[in-house]
Amino acid sequence: MSRISSLITALAAILPEKQILTDPATLQASSHDTWPLSTKLRKLGCHEYQADVVVKVANETQIQQVMALATSSDTPVTPRALASSVTGQPLPTRGGIVLDLSEMTHSREINTTNMTVEVSTGYNGGKLEDELQQMGWTLGHSPQSLYQSSVGGWLSTLATGQFSSYYGGIEDLITAYTVILATGERVRLKASPRAAMGPDLRQLFIGAEGTLGVVTSVQLKMFPLPQTRLYETLEIPTVAAGLDIMREQVMAGLRPFLLRLYDTAEARHAMQNPAQDKPVIFLGTQGVDAVAHAEMEAFMSIVKRHGGKSLGTEGVLKWMDRRFDFSTVEKLLDSTGGFAETIEVAHTWDGIASLYQALNKTLTPLAGEVLSHFSHVYPQGTSMYMILLGHEENDREAVEKLRTIWRETMRVCLEHKAELSHHHGGGLVRSPYARESLGSAHLLLRRVKHALDPNGILNPGKLGL
């Protein structure tokens, strides 16, 4: 009996047959997520990474049983939910089992007194946000993939959202979660509301991309919907002036819920105006009425000092209405030879401007359009998106162009000592650069990995492991 046949027989002893999938279409689908490179490879009929079997689990007990079996048989396991990853996190580099968590959606517990909500790992984020808003609450977490991503995926990729300048990233929004280890053991990690008993072990699995354990449920903060929201579209003389404005508003202690700086090239898209000839900022303040107005007034005083002016609210409000729209990228990827990529990085205030210039110089020859924006702001620096759009003669050339774009972007970022990922995680595409990016900290990651998963079965090939 072959190894795969033995594995399927062993799985059939612990799970219903309908949850064990080996048909070609399912196995081929396991080789793809929404990474643009993966999308083009799917069009070419190239399925580089396939599971030997896809297992649809329905509860924690089944996950524990599958993990115990996988560890005892030294079988790789790659967790996967809604596969909205854009960097290849859920792709099985060594075959084995793809652990499909998409049906782990049965639980939802809301505590309005403590202002928390707990859901099963496969729960769709957009569905949860809509349910909470109907009750007068919000998660405060709003990635562009909100309606395509799962709550467990947010935790595993260290995600952040469009309103992070106010609410924070996912690491700031998680209060507790449950994880199944490679051995099948169940662990609950929490702090209610804060704890000082040793290190904050909750951080251990946040951003681990399923390499250390399988997240089964997540408890998140929730917030009352704001009383007031105010918006402004601002035109700025230069990107440098826009970065100075972002830095100064942080120094002033302002907390806009929306703050996005677009360079001129992307401003034309953001404003839907080909004639736009200067960078723009989309700004939003919120809270009780007096606070929202006071913060807007304070922000505008900073803008005016740097030569900026208001263009009204139309630009930002139209963007708010379409901010979950992927269609431009999707249509380009669907066309023969079309390619599109979004690469988000981060750097300190004293490094971000030179990184922006270097990346634009390097990437401009590689695409028809190179667009940039800065959309997550911190006291020490900001994130930066590089968006590339273009066409090649055919899809094979588009694949090679995408590989070149990633290679050159990572090279420049490493030269500038920037963070290689801000919120899309590492996945397959950044894994070759993980050790250099993390430096001596990668030794600690390897030690933790060996302690929790000595056989190395959990999501191999990610984070330089």
Side-chain angles (χ1 to χ4, degrees), residues 121-201:
T121 187
Y123 217 96
N124 180 281
K127 178 176 183 290
L128 179 59
E129 176 67 14
D130 288 347
E131 291 167 352
L132 291 179
Q133 288 212 11
Q134 290 172 9
M135 305 175 199
W137 299 87
T138 179
L139 295 169
H141 186 67
S142 187
Q144 188 180 19
S145 62
L146 182 65
Y147 289 89
Q148 299 183 16
S149 54
S150 67
V151 172
W154 296 345
L155 183 153
S156 295
T157 58
L158 234 175
T160 195
Q162 296 157 338
F163 307 148
S164 69
S165 296
Y166 186 93
Y167 293 104
I170 199 66
E171 68 275 21
D172 304 302
L173 300 174
I174 292 170
T175 54
Y177 61 93
T178 303
V179 64
I180 307 298
L181 303 182
T183 55
E185 296 166 290
R186 180 183 186 275
V187 178
R188 180 71 170 174
L189 299 145
K190 69 180 184 65
S192 303
R194 186 179 188 273
M197 289 295 289
D200 186 356
L201 295 172

Side-chain angles (χ1 to χ4, degrees), residues 49-156:
Y49 307 106
Q50 285 193 50
D52 295 319
V53 56
V54 173
V55 176
K56 284 185 172 290
V57 287
N59 54 55
E60 284 185 349
T61 300
Q62 290 184 350
I63 296 173
Q64 289 178 286
Q65 292 172 324
V66 171
M67 290 312 307
L69 170 62
T71 293
S72 66
S73 61
D74 200 23
T75 301
V77 176
T78 303
R80 178 187 180 102
L82 300 183
S84 64
S85 161
V86 292
T87 56
Q89 276 101 349
L91 308 188
T93 61
R94 285 172 42 201
I97 297 169
V98 159
L99 194 69
D100 188 334
L101 305 165
S102 62
E103 295 185 3
M104 291 279 290
T105 60
H106 50 278
S107 176
R108 190 198 75 183
E109 298 178 16
I110 295 174
N111 187 322
T112 56
T113 302
N114 293 339
M115 295 185 290
T116 61
V117 55
E118 178 148 2
V119 293
S120 300
T121 187
Y123 217 96
N124 180 281
K127 178 176 183 290
L128 179 59
E129 176 67 14
D130 288 347
E131 291 167 352
L132 291 179
Q133 288 212 11
Q134 290 172 9
M135 305 175 199
W137 299 87
T138 179
L139 295 169
H141 186 67
S142 187
Q144 188 180 19
S145 62
L146 182 65
Y147 289 89
Q148 299 183 16
S149 54
S150 67
V151 172
W154 296 345
L155 183 153
S156 295

